[in-house]
Amino acid sequence: AQSVTQPDIHITVSEGASLELRCNYSYGATPYLFWYVQSPGQGLQLLLKYFSGDTLVQGIKGFEAEFKRSQSSFNLRKPSVHWSDAAEYFCAVLLSNDYKLSFGAGTTVTVRA
Amino acid sequence: EAGVAQSPRYKIIEKRQSVAFWCNPISGHATLYWYQQILGQGPKLLIQFQNNGVVDDSQLPKDRFSAERLKGVDSTLKIQPAKLEDSAVYLCASSPGGNYGYTFGSGTRLTVV
């Protein structure tokens, strides 16, 4: 079945430490890939997206993500987290046959001082 | 450019009552989506409009939910009668189409008591 999996429900990280959020997808073809962030009470903000080309994608707020076709993964990273990065993060895929965005269940990030 | 506008931000109703949500997409965006986000889950697509026509409403509980997009611009989503399990954030998003990705509104948080 087609799916987007975020294996980690909740991650706690110290301020200044690095962060990596995992995302795996299961689709017949390579979809378009996205990471969104949602702060409490807010809508979804696009961090970055991958369509094709360079497999390392730079986004806003210092985030980057790497597409690995062999692993069907699109993991999100940040070298040094700030307290303001505490939020929920969603990986999403868009298929070229219907252009509907499908989301993973999300990973909640807590940042401790 | 102005973002996707949604109202109200919050709504509390009793079960079996009716409620309506409003969305004004980004000007010129042909495609409009309504998503339901239950606490602790990723957003789930309810309905997709292309201009003022429905493209996909396969996930919309049509016995109680209805949506329309008059003149291909604003859209309303209605629930009648509401159930406890309808408590969620309802997100509206718009897109110019293709793989350009979506822009989300801030959402309407519905609590059914």
Side-chain angles (χ1 to χ4, degrees):
Chain A
Q2 298 179 333
S3 65
V4 184
T5 303
Q6 294 182 247
D8 305 303
I9 296 173
H10 191 191
I11 288 180
T12 298
V13 61
S14 297
E15 192 169 15
S18 64
L19 174 68
E20 181 168 12
L21 304 181
R22 296 183 291 166
C23 173
N24 295 95
Y25 63 89
S26 175
Y27 290 87
T30 298
Y32 302 116
L33 298 159
F34 302 80
W35 275 99
Y36 284 86
V37 61
Q38 187 177 37
S39 298
Q42 301 298 312
L44 293 160
Q45 182 182 24
L46 179 66
L47 286 175
L48 47 77
K49 58 190 176 186
Y50 173 78
F51 291 165
S52 64
D54 193 346
T55 56
L56 187 63
V57 181
Q58 301 298 320
I60 63 171
K61 304 185 179 187
F63 284 91
E64 66 179 24
E66 186 173 13
F67 169 62
K68 292 186 177 180
R69 185 187 305 274
S70 61
Q71 299 177 18
S72 297
S73 69
F74 188 55
N75 294 349
L76 181 72
R77 298 193 293 253
K78 185 168 184 177
S80 177
V81 299
H82 186 262
W83 64 266
S84 60
D85 294 322
E88 190 153 21
Y89 292 79
F90 293 95
C91 180
V93 304
L94 189 76
L95 298 179
S96 60
N97 60 347
D98 62 16
Y99 295 110
K100 285 196 281 284
L101 202 60
S102 298
F103 288 86
T107 298
T108 301
V109 173
T110 298
V111 181
R112 59 183 174 217
Chain B
E1 63 180 1
V4 176
Q6 289 189 248
S7 67
R9 285 298 309 275
Y10 305 94
K11 191 74 176 177
I12 301 174
I13 62 171
E14 295 182 349
K15 59 184 179 184
R16 292 186 290 273
Q17 285 187 324
S18 63
V19 64
F21 314 127
W22 173 82
C23 173
N24 179 238
I26 291 175
S27 177
H29 280 195
T31 312
L32 184 147
Y33 309 83
W34 283 100
Y35 279 80
Q36 180 193 57
Q37 185 179 17
I38 293 173
L39 186 65
Q41 300 180 17
K44 183 187 78 171
L45 179 67
L46 291 176
I47 188 168
Q48 175 187 359
F49 291 95
Q50 180 75 20
N51 296 311
N52 61 348
V54 175
V55 174
D56 182 1
D57 63 357
S58 59
Q59 300 301 308
L60 190 72
K62 299 181 190 62
D63 58 332
R64 297 183 301 106
F65 286 64
S66 64
E68 61 182 6
R69 190 182 184 195
L70 298 176
K71 301 181 181 179
V73 181
D74 293 6
S75 177
T76 56
L77 176 69
K78 297 179 182 178
I79 307 175
Q80 182 178 12
K83 293 185 175 181
L84 296 177
E85 59 260 36
D86 298 331
S87 295
V89 175
Y90 291 85
L91 294 163
C92 179
S94 69
S95 169
N99 62 2
Y100 285 92
Y102 300 9
T103 301
F104 283 85
S106 297
T108 296
R109 181 176 297 276
L110 174 68
T111 302
V112 182
V113 298

